[in-house]
Structures are given as C-alpha cells and as structure tokens.
Amino acid sequence: MKNLIKNIALAATVVATMASCNDILDLNDTSTFGDVAVWSSQSNADAYVTAAYKTFNDQSALYAEEGAASRNRYYDNYSDLMKSNFWWTIDFNQALMEPGFITKGQARFFDCWSATYSRIKRTNIMLNDLERYGQKWGEEWYNIRRAEGRFCNAINYFFLARVYGGVVIRTDHSGGGGWADDGAYEQDKNRARVSEKETYNHIISELQWAAEYLPEKWDAAWTGRATKGMAYAFLSRIALYAGEWKVAADAAEKCAEYYSLVANYGELFDVNASQDNSKEIIFSIKGWQNVIRNGFDADNRPFGDRAVYNRSTYAMAEPTAELADMYEFKDGTEFSWQTYSANHSDPYTDREPRFHATILYNGAKWEGRTIETFVGADDNIAEGADAYRKFDKNEDADGHTVTGYYLRKYLQEGHTAFTTEGSYNTDIVIRYGEVLLNKAEALAQLDYMANNAKAFEALNAVRKRVGLPEKSLQDAPDLEGFMALIRKERAVELAGEGLRCWDIRRWKLGEKMINGQNVHGVKITKQANGEFTYETVDADGGMKRIFNANFYYLPLPSSEMAQNRLCVDNW
C-alpha cells in the first residue's frame, strides 16, 4: 500500500491548491471544495476515490492517526498469546481482568461505531457522486472505482459486525430522496439494525460484486489499490465469521490464482527483505521512510536496547508462555518442559523457524548481542540486560518483560534510527498464509469426511513452508480434532498479527479460553555455576481474566441510542 499512500498524499497536495484542504482523506464530502473540482479530472477523482481506503488506517496498530491510542489495537494483547506489562496507561489488562471496565454504552477499546459510520458515510457520498459524474470516463473506469468503494464499505461493515453483530445498513441510495444516507433527512437518523446474518450477507454480496469488477492488478503508480485477489482474500476471512463455509473455501481457491507462499517466513516481516513479499502479502499498510512512520520499535523493543540506544523502550506486547510452548521443535515433536531436556540442550535453540521469527528469548541473537532475560539466583549474580520482572498491577514493569519473552515479529532489526526517525515497517492486513488456513477450516467445517484430504493439503502447505512434517487423518480423525490443529496452527503462524482475539470471539470460545484463566511466563534464573533453571510463573499478578457471555456482542455507544430511536442495544 506504500505507493497508494504516496499517491494519495501527492493527489491531496494538488487538490489542496484548489480547496484549502491539506488531506483528501479527511474530507466529509465534495462540498468542501465543490463537485466540479473533484470530478474535473481523473487524477482528482482518483484521489477522492482512494480516500475510502482510510478505513484500514483506523484499525492499524502501527499507523492509526491517534498515535499512542493506536497501541490499544495490538489486538493479540486481548488474547492468550500476548501480554502487556502496562496496567493503567493501556487498556489491555484492565479490559481482561477488571470487572465493569466494559459497560453499557461503552465498548471501550473495541468501540468503532461512530468512526466507522463516518467512513461509511464518506464512501457512500463518493459512490453517489461517482454515479453522477464518473461515467464520463467510460464504463470500465466507472465500474472499477465503484467496486473499490463497495469493497471498502464491505470492510467497514465487517469491522462493525465483528464487534456488535447485526448493524444498521446505510448505502449510497438509502438516504432521503434516493441519495447517500448522510443524515441530512430526519428519516435517515432512525434506522433499525438488521440481523447478524443479514449483515454478513450484505458484506459477502458486496465483496462478491467488487471481485467481479476489480482489476487483477494496477499500474505500478497505484500499487496497493483493491484487486480481485484482494477481494477474494477478505471474502475467505469474513465468510468464516458468517459460517458460510463454501463461500470461504471457494474464495480462497480463487485467491490462489493470484498469490502464493514465499519461501522465508521470517523475511515476510522484514521491510528490507531480499525476497519478493508481494507474492504473499495481499494487503498491507506500508511506512514511507521519513514521511509515514510509527513507534512500533520503541513500543516493543527489549529492555536491553535502552542502554544500547539511550532511548526508552516499553515492550508492550510480550509473547506469553501459552504461545511460546505451542511452537514445535523443528523435527515436529511437541514442546514440553518435562521432556525437552532428553533430546535438546536448551528449550529454545531447536524450535521451528516461526518461533525464532516471532519471539526474542533468553539466548537469542539480536543486533550483535545476546538477549538476557534471566535473573540472578542471589545478589552476587547479576541479572541479564533484559531481565524478567514479576507482573504487578500496582507497579510499573518499566519496559521489562513480565513473561520472559519479547516480541520479535515486525521489529526492524538494525534500524538504529528508530530513536529519532520512528519506524516505517509494514503492517500486514491480510496475507496468503492466512488464506490457506481459512480454506482448511472452511473445507473441514463444510464436510470433514468428504473434504479432509483437501483441508489437510491447505494446512500442510503452511507447515511445509517452515520444514515441519505433515499432519494427517491419524492426527485428527474427526472435525473436533482438526479444529484443534487449526487453532494451534493459526496461533503460531499468525501470532502478533492481531487475529487471535477475533478468532476466539468467532469460535465462541472466550468463556473457555479467557474467562477464569490467566496467562503465564517463564522465570529463568542463572545459578552460580552459570546454568539456568526454568520456572513457569503466573503473568497476571494472581488475577483471573474475565470474558462474560455478553462480550461476544458489545454495547452500542450511548450517542447512537440517544439519536436513533429504532436502534436496539446489545446490552
């Protein structure tokens, strides 16, 4: 999406000379500078159309405009895979363990109602204007741009549906007089929610329509705009939420016509990778060095980097022992604290590639030094540079790990200028590795006995990329067994990419996997003889996590309930 962002920025500069507006992405409608100015040329019109993509930025943990508030979108911290060492500054721990933090009228960190409907409104106005003015450049041009708008609004409705369930559907023709539903008419303000099924049906039909008209690819100048393959990829994800298994499987199959797995898993998350990651990364938000930056490195680098760079680091997303222990050894055997020492010199060195690409652990090599998360057995033994701290809600861990691990995925190793320039890494929104796992799950759910061979084929493609042995029907003789494999594979393949908490919600497993549970870490102690001992420890400060039955559908904001008399709340 780097070129797309760059071209939006450049186009905005052109428009600003006519409009006294410095950001096309923040336009409410064309009246800011007049319809004639927007639709006077294809370049101006394209700048207006591409503003619809701004919705992805709203959900990005790396690039959201709210700055520090975007840290709340490290969504894996709301799951069992990651742990934040903050209590008050960031909402993660409060949301999971503090009774009453989510209340009627306040969905807290998941609240996206007003902001998303603002995006929907802007896109609906664009689509309505496009119908009036855009056909002068030909049917193909018109259909492609219309498909882009409908694609972006489908994603908008998905962001709403995964939080609230059924929502209010507002389109470019549902407003008073047949125009865009922009709240200009009294009857537009009061609309009832449709059911969750109807909401997902709308999203799926919009994506299917978009996939029909979107191009297979764009010219280099507009790389990042929606394509057929991109629409199919999101369709494979969203149809899982709807329980539309065939739709998801078919979409994944179509996506395979355009994308494939790259060879090196670790390089997928390296902004300076030597391999062509565009073969797998379907949609992403890319930084632009010295222009479009974020604070991901400062937020997540290990504590020992403070001394190296004389710059505060915070380690706000730390892998849990629950995640670390899921990674197999490179020969495919399961990890166990009770048995690993029989065949391995330490718990970490011989683990599969995704472990090393995702987690910084005691003994890991990092920028010319060795990560040291250990503490000393007594006061005579110095603790490591990245030493563990026990989690306590009343004390700040001050950037230390509270799980014994640090997140490696997405960090820009060797980017020493993060202290002054920030980071410009790539936030992957969706990639083909996920699409394969979407396909495997959909095929299994559709008819496990009929489709298990194809389901295992998709699952094993992800495993074979990192050199792990294939799974077979012997490992999962029924659907329940296969879903256990899928849940584990999604966890280790997609860790740190923000999907786990949403997976838990769509599987309706929050009460089992989160409620009443707590996550763990490993406390490593260096003994006088230089050897290490390992102790599994509670990383939640003795508190139990909360996920009530009503958390699957969170409360609507009070403002919506006050102004829309036909809208019924979830709570």
Side-chain angles (χ1 to χ4, degrees), residues 121 124-125 128 171-176 178-185 188:
K121 171 184 173 180
N124 282 339
I125 292 172
N128 202 284
T171 72
D172 54 319
H173 286 126
S174 63
W179 301 109
D181 192 344
D182 61 358
Y185 295 84
D188 296 343

Side-chain angles (χ1 to χ4, degrees), residues 59-351:
Q59 291 289 328
S60 172
L62 276 63
Y63 289 101
E65 285 184 322
E66 289 82 359
S70 70
R71 296 167 180 166
N72 287 330
R73 299 190 184 97
Y74 294 159
Y75 286 122
D76 275 9
N77 276 7
Y78 301 113
S79 78
D80 56 339
L81 301 189
M82 297 286 166
K83 167 72 180 179
S84 175
N85 61 16
F86 279 71
W87 180 264
W88 299 110
T89 307
I90 303 299
D91 289 342
F92 308 123
N93 296 307
Q94 288 173 280
L96 286 168
M97 292 181 289
E98 194 166 81
F101 189 73
I102 299 174
T103 59
K104 185 175 178 62
Q106 176 57 270
R108 293 286 183 177
F109 51 87
F110 283 150
D111 177 34
C112 61
W113 187 275
S114 298
T116 306
Y117 274 110
S118 176
R119 298 294 183 206
I120 290 171
K121 171 184 173 180
R122 297 178 190 187
T123 303
N124 282 339
I125 292 172
M126 181 274 291
L127 287 169
N128 202 284
D129 288 348
L130 182 65
E131 189 169 339
R132 288 187 288 165
Y133 302 111
Q135 298 187 51
K136 63 183 176 180
W137 291 305
E139 185 177 2
E140 182 181 18
W141 189 97
Y142 165 78
N143 282 334
I144 290 174
R145 273 67 185 178
R146 186 162 185 81
E148 287 184 272
R150 291 175 69 168
F151 164 81
C152 288
N153 259 359
I155 302 302
N156 277 320
Y157 281 114
F158 170 61
F159 288 154
L160 290 165
R162 67 183 185 178
V163 176
Y164 303 103
V167 299
V168 177
I169 302 295
R170 299 180 182 273
T171 72
D172 54 319
H173 286 126
S174 63
W179 301 109
D181 192 344
D182 61 358
Y185 295 84
E186 185 63 29
Q187 60 264 39
D188 296 343
K189 298 177 182 178
N190 300 293
R191 294 198 184 279
R193 298 165 62 192
V194 301
S195 68
E196 183 176 24
K197 179 175 176 55
E198 290 172 306
T199 299
Y200 278 113
N201 285 346
H202 174 76
I203 296 168
I204 288 170
S205 65
E206 290 294 279
L207 285 175
Q208 289 172 328
W209 190 93
E212 182 178 351
Y213 289 100
L214 286 169
E216 292 187 2
K217 62 180 180 179
W218 290 84
D219 293 338
W222 284 111
T223 299
R225 293 174 76 163
T227 62
K228 291 183 182 296
M230 195 181 296
Y232 288 126
F234 279 104
L235 195 54
S236 79
R237 174 191 288 180
I238 294 170
L240 294 182
Y241 287 75
E244 294 290 344
W245 313 121
K246 190 175 188 308
V247 172
D250 289 348
E253 190 71 25
K254 293 289 291 184
C255 187
E257 298 176 13
Y258 308 99
Y259 296 96
S260 60
L261 296 177
V262 297
N264 189 306
Y265 176 85
E267 283 201 11
L268 265 173
F269 313 98
D270 183 355
V271 71
N272 298 311
S274 58
Q275 68 185 1
D276 180 9
N277 284 333
S278 66
K279 294 178 180 179
E280 179 168 350
I281 298 177
I282 300 169
F283 194 87
S284 64
I285 302 173
K286 295 185 178 179
W288 189 6
Q289 192 171 7
N290 299 322
V291 179
I292 301 172
R293 302 173 295 183
N294 63 72
F296 190 82
D297 277 83
D299 284 349
N300 291 289
R301 277 177 171 257
F303 183 83
D305 281 5
R306 285 191 177 190
V308 175
Y309 295 106
N310 193 29
R311 166 70 155 85
S312 292
T313 56
Y314 302 102
M316 289 194 297
E318 299 173 1
T320 62
E322 279 70 19
L323 171 62
D325 293 355
M326 285 188 206
Y327 289 97
E328 299 166 18
F329 286 105
K330 59 187 178 183
D331 64 359
T333 57
E334 299 286 338
F335 172 78
S336 167
W337 283 109
Q338 287 70 44
T339 61
Y340 83 87
S341 59
N343 298 301
H344 306 278
S345 60
D346 66 73
Y348 304 129
T349 304
D350 294 335
R351 303 290 275 280

Side-chain angles (χ1 to χ4, degrees), residues 551-566:
F551 280 13
Y552 293 116
Y553 303 102
L554 294 180
L556 275 61
S558 301
S559 57
E560 180 67 19
M561 302 310 301
Q563 67 186 9
N564 185 352
R565 63 176 180 270
L566 296 181

Side-chain angles (χ1 to χ4, degrees), residues 373-542:
T373 63
F374 61 82
V375 298
D378 56 49
D379 293 340
N380 297 317
I381 303 173
E383 67 179 13
D386 311 282
Y388 160 87
R389 291 287 185 273
K390 181 180 179 180
F391 179 78
D392 187 331
K393 65 173 291 184
N394 298 313
E395 293 185 11
D396 191 347
D398 192 32
H400 285 272
T401 176
V402 296
T403 67
Y405 302 109
Y406 293 95
L407 182 64
R408 182 170 194 154
K409 185 181 282 190
Y410 282 125
L411 290 182
Q412 290 181 264
E413 186 170 5
H415 177 51
T416 60
F418 82 92
T419 59
T420 56
E421 297 179 4
S423 305
Y424 52 92
N425 39 16
T426 298
D427 186 2
I428 299 174
V429 180
I430 193 165
R431 59 183 177 86
Y432 188 66
E434 180 203 337
V435 172
L436 281 169
L437 295 176
N438 295 343
K439 179 181 180 181
E441 181 176 346
L443 286 169
Q445 292 282 8
L446 184 63
D447 187 335
Y448 186 63
M449 297 315 297
N451 298 325
N452 64 71
K454 291 183 177 180
F456 276 110
E457 181 181 7
L459 173 70
N460 286 326
V462 174
R463 290 176 60 81
K464 286 192 290 186
R465 189 247 297 270
V466 292
L468 289 175
E470 296 185 3
K471 294 293 184 180
S472 68
L473 198 59
Q474 184 176 353
D475 299 296
D478 54 24
L479 177 59
E480 183 179 355
F482 188 83
M483 286 303 299
L485 293 180
I486 277 288
R487 287 168 186 144
K488 176 183 173 182
E489 206 64 41
R490 287 183 70 91
V492 297
E493 173 74 17
L494 305 170
E497 297 178 50
L499 297 179
R500 179 68 165 186
C501 78
W502 303 110
D503 281 344
I504 290 172
R505 291 171 65 83
R506 70 178 176 86
W507 289 326
K508 298 295 188 289
L509 288 176
E511 294 156 282
K512 178 180 179 180
M513 297 178 66
I514 301 297
N515 195 49
Q517 306 297 314
N518 60 285
V519 297
H520 299 84
V522 57
K523 179 182 178 182
I524 304 176
T525 303
K526 187 175 183 179
Q527 305 298 322
N529 61 3
E531 295 183 353
F532 296 116
T533 58
Y534 304 88
E535 176 189 1
T536 298
V537 293
D538 170 26
D540 279 335

